[in-house]
Amino acid sequence: MMKPIYRWLYIFLGTVFLVLGIIGAFLPLLPTTPFLLLTSFFYTRGSERINKWFHSTTFYHEYVKGFRKGELTRKQKIKIIITCYICLTISAILVDHLYTRIILGCIAIVQAISMFIIKTKKENPEVTIKE
């Protein structure tokens, strides 16, 4: 059985990452999915009830579920690529070290390759009712 202090620590960390993930959904430079993946990780270890609640939220279904299944929508992929490249570009501009810029370029290449490897899921089309 887990000590209560660890249980509460996991719940606290899950909540911190949930808040960061929610903020990231609205701020273009703050990533959402990694924070929500960490939320899921910590809630799984901290509380089964809170974890079930998190898995029922829109944020989980929109950002984490597809990522864990290895498929993202085109819109999600574009958002990830744009956010990542903005951050990498800003970092490359601010850093005055050649090797760091080379590493950032390698990260950009790996990120682009990963977006091609991950399946592109079709977005749910709007349901229209014919009369």
Side-chain angles (χ1 to χ4, degrees):
M1 186 165 173
M2 185 185 322
K3 292 182 181 180
I5 187 76
Y6 291 119
R7 182 176 176 268
W8 288 108
L9 179 64
Y10 287 141
I11 293 170
F12 172 76
L13 289 172
T15 304
V16 167
F17 288 118
L18 176 62
V19 169
L20 289 172
I22 291 170
I23 292 170
F26 300 103
L27 294 177
L29 292 180
L30 192 63
T32 301
T33 305
F35 289 131
L36 295 180
L37 287 169
L38 286 168
T39 298
S40 184
F41 173 82
F42 286 115
Y43 279 171
T44 299
R45 283 148 183 78
S47 169
E48 185 177 328
R49 183 176 57 86
I50 295 173
N51 190 44
K52 282 182 183 178
W53 166 81
F54 176 63
H55 283 214
S56 71
T57 64
T58 304
F59 280 105
Y60 178 81
H61 288 279
E62 188 173 331
Y63 292 99
V64 179
K65 191 174 182 182
F67 191 82
R68 291 180 107 183
K69 289 171 60 178
E71 54 186 32
L72 298 171
T73 63
R74 178 169 284 138
K75 183 179 175 181
Q76 289 171 321
K77 285 183 172 187
I78 290 170
K79 185 177 178 181
I80 290 169
I81 288 171
I82 289 171
T83 303
C84 181
Y85 281 15
I86 288 171
C87 292
L88 289 172
T89 302
I90 291 170
S91 298
I93 290 169
L94 295 176
V95 171
D96 191 27
H97 194 263
L98 177 64
Y99 294 121
T100 304
R101 287 181 178 164
I102 291 171
I103 291 171
L104 290 171
C106 291
I107 291 170
I109 291 168
V110 169
Q111 195 270 339
I113 292 170
S114 70
M115 287 298 113
F116 284 110
I117 292 172
I118 295 173
K119 292 180 189 175
T120 303
K121 179 176 77 172
K122 292 185 180 180
E123 296 186 37
N124 294 335
E126 295 286 327
V127 177
T128 55
I129 299 173
K130 295 182 181 180
E131 293 183 33

